[in-house]
């Protein structure tokens, strides 16, 4: 299998585009979940629209690119898609009630939950630095939840649940990434997600307004674009180099919230977000150190054969 040519500058540009698109999806979800564009839509209908239009975008791309597709590992795809669908639905529910910056910051816990879940599900061993990173990120989440009788954000628990479920999704993505090409994973994921979301939305579906149809289409297309940019960014540079740029999602979400909804994060939001990003960044750094060590060991063993 040929390796994608490495181009760090292009990787950074693609990752920044991905973060802008991802923040844009939460902006659209907030517009749809509030009365901005008409009567608020149920989170299940918002996630249904996300899968409908994302699948249409990816299917159209597949017709143009005509990629070689193999036999998918359906049980893994179904498990991954159920996790992803549940995660985005919870996130779309959360952003209707809490600032985009808070929900986005809490979503950065998903690699932390993925690390914790990898212990029982993948048999991975977690060292001291990873535990410190997890504890730090969780402490930041507690701050964002504002655990006081007059300040507690119950809706932020939806974002926390989304991060947990999407952490589980990472486990299945790791297993799929070793078996199938990235585009096939995206296409199959969105096809299965469309089926799941179409069944789940039946009891709550209502006719969207014209503005809501446009927002649903924009949400789906931006999600497909974000996934495509993310996958291609990761293919063009080491994950340890390009992953930190994904935290720009928080900046874009804050900017969108301020411009569209006139919501400016307070000091508690900035402190909690900074601690979560710090914990997630520490985890990413530790992962890069571990991968570099494994590559050195592999190179040494290869040189002896």
């Amino acid at each position: 299998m040929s390796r994608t040519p490495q181009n760090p500058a292009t990787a950074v540009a693609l990752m920044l585009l991905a973060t802008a698109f991802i923040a844009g999806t939460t902006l659209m979800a907030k517009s749809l979940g509030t009365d901005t564009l008409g009567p608020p839509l149920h989170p299940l209908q918002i996630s249904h629209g996300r899968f409908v239009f994302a699948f249409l975008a990816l299917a159209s791309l597949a017709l143009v690119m005509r990629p070689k597709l193999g036999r998918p590992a359906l049980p893994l795809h179904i498990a991954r898609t159920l996790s992803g669908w549940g995660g985005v639905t919870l996130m779309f529910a959360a952003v209707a009630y809490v600032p985009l910056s808070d929900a986005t910051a809490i979503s950065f816990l998903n690699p932390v939950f993925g690390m914790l879940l990898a212990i029982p599900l993948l048999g991975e061993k977690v060292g001291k630095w990873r535990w410190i990173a997890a504890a730090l990120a969780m402490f930041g989440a507690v701050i964002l939840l504002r655990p006081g009788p007059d300040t507690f954000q119950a809706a932020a628990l939806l974002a926390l649940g989304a991060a947990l479920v999407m952490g589980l999704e990472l486990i299945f993505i790791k297993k799929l990434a070793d078996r199938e090409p990235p585009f096939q994973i995206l296409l199959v994921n969105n096809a299965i997600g469309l089926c799941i979301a179409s069944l789940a939305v039946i009891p709550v579906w209502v006719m969207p307004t014209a503005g809501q149809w446009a927002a649903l289409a924009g949400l789906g297309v931006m999600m497909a674009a974000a996934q495509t940019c993310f996958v291609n960014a990761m293919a063009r540079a080491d994950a340890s180099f390009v992953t930190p740029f994904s935290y720009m999602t928080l900046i874009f979400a804050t900017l969108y919230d301020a411009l569209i909804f006139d919501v400016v994060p307070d000091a508690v939001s900035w402190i909690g977000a900074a601690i979560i990003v710090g914990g997630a960044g520490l985890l990413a750094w530790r992962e890069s150190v571990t991968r570099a060590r494994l590559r050195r060991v592999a190179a040494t063993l290869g040189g002896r054969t």
Side-chain angles (χ1 to χ4, degrees), residues 170-191:
L170 289 177
I171 301 297
F172 299 117
I173 290 175
K174 285 183 179 180
K175 292 185 175 183
L176 283 168
D178 295 331
R179 303 182 181 207
E180 301 177 22
F183 188 80
Q184 176 171 315
I185 294 174
L186 290 178
L187 187 62
V188 175
N189 162 242
N190 282 276

Side-chain angles (χ1 to χ4, degrees), residues 205-270:
W205 195 89
V206 297
M207 177 62 71
T209 66
Q212 288 172 334
W213 274 120
L216 288 168
L219 190 159
V221 171
M222 281 194 291
M223 182 63 75
Q227 291 177 324
T228 303
C229 289
F230 182 85
V231 167
N232 281 279
M234 298 296 283
R236 285 168 170 76
D238 289 341
S240 58
F241 169 75
V242 76
T243 297
F245 291 96
S246 67
Y247 300 133
M248 282 294 293
T249 306
L250 182 59
I251 303 301
F252 282 115
T254 302
L255 180 63
Y256 297 160
D257 219 8
L259 292 177
I260 306 300
F261 295 101
D262 198 27
V263 175
V264 179
D266 58 14
V268 174
S269 291
W270 283 117

Side-chain angles (χ1 to χ4, degrees), residues 8 50 57 74 79-80 89 138 152 155 159 180 269 278:
R50 167 256 185 270
L74 284 179
R80 178 264 166 105
T89 302
M138 291 301 296
F152 178 66
E180 301 177 22
S269 291

Side-chain angles (χ1 to χ4, degrees), residues 196-207:
I196 295 171
S198 295
L199 291 174
V201 77
I202 292 174
V204 299
W205 195 89
V206 297
M207 177 62 71

